[in-house]
């Protein structure tokens, strides 16, 4: 499996980065290892490793890596249905990426935040985040992301029985 290979290579990278004291690479290896465990549904292990990496990134002031850990922690909590914690870490990532003008990441995290609000049936808030994501994705001319967010908006309108708006969003996504 690809996850198994990623995990094995990342563990080797972690070992080498610790041996040679390359802390930025150590952070990146921890991020990949934590994500692999999350994908394997080993959520507790993923959480521990991601927090270890986050702590190292904070201590070493790797400002570009910190939001990546927050995003991965959000993913881990989302996959384990802990939506309150997922929101907390997604919002931390969104704030950092917005501050550093990482628009691709901001668009993606807004979609992820929208997905959490969808899961907890806060559809109006989900819609707001989807629309933020759509605006940024449109500005970036990221057609794949636009189609994905339009589909999410279609699903949201369908779920809330606004079938005309749902159809409109689905058709917009299909045109892309």
């Amino acid at each position: 499996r690809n996850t198994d290979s990623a995990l094995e290579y990342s563990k080797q990278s972690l070992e080498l980065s610790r041996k040679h004291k390359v802390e930025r690479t150590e952070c990146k290896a921890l991020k990949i290892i934590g994500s692999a465990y999350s994908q394997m549904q080993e959520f507790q292990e993923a959480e521990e490793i991601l927090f270890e990496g986050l702590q190292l990134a904070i201590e070493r002031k790797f400002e570009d890596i910190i939001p990546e850990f927050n995003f991965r922690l959000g993913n881990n909590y989302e996959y384990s249905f802990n939506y309150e914690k997922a929101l907390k870490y997604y919002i931390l990532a969104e704030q950092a990426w917005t501050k550093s003008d990482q628009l691709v990441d901001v668009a993606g995290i807004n979609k992820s935040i929208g997905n959490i609000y969808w899961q907890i049936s806060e559809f109006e808030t989900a819609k707001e985040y989807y629309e933020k994501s759509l605006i940024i994705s449109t500005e970036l001319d990221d057609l794949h992301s636009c189609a994905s967010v339009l589909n999410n908006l279609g699903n949201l309108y369908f779920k809330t029985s606004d079938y005309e708006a749902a159809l409109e969003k689905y058709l917009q996504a299909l045109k892309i």
Side-chain angles (χ1 to χ4, degrees):
R1 255 174 63 190
N2 288 341
T3 306
D4 294 334
S5 296
L7 187 57
E8 184 56 38
Y9 292 133
S10 296
K11 284 181 177 180
Q12 291 173 15
S13 176
L14 179 62
E15 184 180 322
L16 287 170
S17 64
R18 285 179 172 164
K19 179 179 178 182
H20 297 286
K21 298 182 182 359
V22 184
E23 292 170 329
R24 182 170 282 278
T25 303
E26 181 179 350
C27 275
K28 291 179 181 182
L30 288 166
K31 182 179 64 175
I32 294 168
I33 292 167
S35 295
Y37 279 122
S38 186
Q39 291 291 321
M40 296 164 60
Q41 298 184 351
E42 295 183 29
F43 302 119
Q44 185 62 42
E45 185 73 19
E47 179 183 47
E48 291 171 12
I49 290 168
L50 290 169
F51 272 122
E52 180 184 347
L54 177 60
Q55 187 61 42
L56 179 61
I58 291 169
E59 287 171 4
R60 297 297 178 245
K61 296 181 175 40
F62 296 149
E63 299 297 326
D64 57 320
I65 298 176
I66 293 169
E68 294 177 23
F69 276 104
N70 286 324
F71 175 69
R72 302 297 172 105
L73 280 161
N75 284 342
N76 190 58
Y77 290 126
E78 181 178 2
Y79 300 156
S80 62
F81 307 105
N82 187 335
Y83 299 127
E84 185 178 331
K85 282 188 175 181
L87 261 180
K88 174 185 174 182
Y89 287 96
Y90 281 160
I91 289 170
L92 287 171
E94 189 269 340
Q95 291 169 343
W97 283 330
T98 298
K99 183 178 176 182
S100 64
D101 208 28
Q102 300 291 319
L103 294 181
V104 172
D105 295 320
V106 173
I109 198 69
N110 277 308
K111 180 182 168 198
S112 295
I113 293 169
N115 290 342
I116 296 296
Y117 281 112
W118 162 278
Q119 291 294 333
I120 61 175
S121 299
E122 291 188 27
F123 298 117
E124 195 57 39
T125 307
K127 179 181 158 192
E128 291 172 18
Y129 278 95
Y130 288 150
E131 287 174 345
K132 287 180 189 179
S133 179
L134 182 59
I135 289 167
I136 296 167
S137 296
T138 301
E139 289 173 2
L140 295 171
D141 200 30
D142 184 345
L143 299 179
H144 176 76
S145 292
C146 287
S148 178
V149 174
L150 285 166
N151 187 66
N152 284 14
L153 283 164
N155 292 341
L156 184 145
Y157 286 124
F158 187 85
K159 178 80 172 173
T160 58
S161 302
D162 188 345
Y163 303 116
E164 192 172 313
L167 180 60
E168 178 185 327
K169 297 301 178 190
Y170 289 141
L171 291 173
Q172 286 176 343
L174 282 173
K175 286 180 184 176
I176 295 175

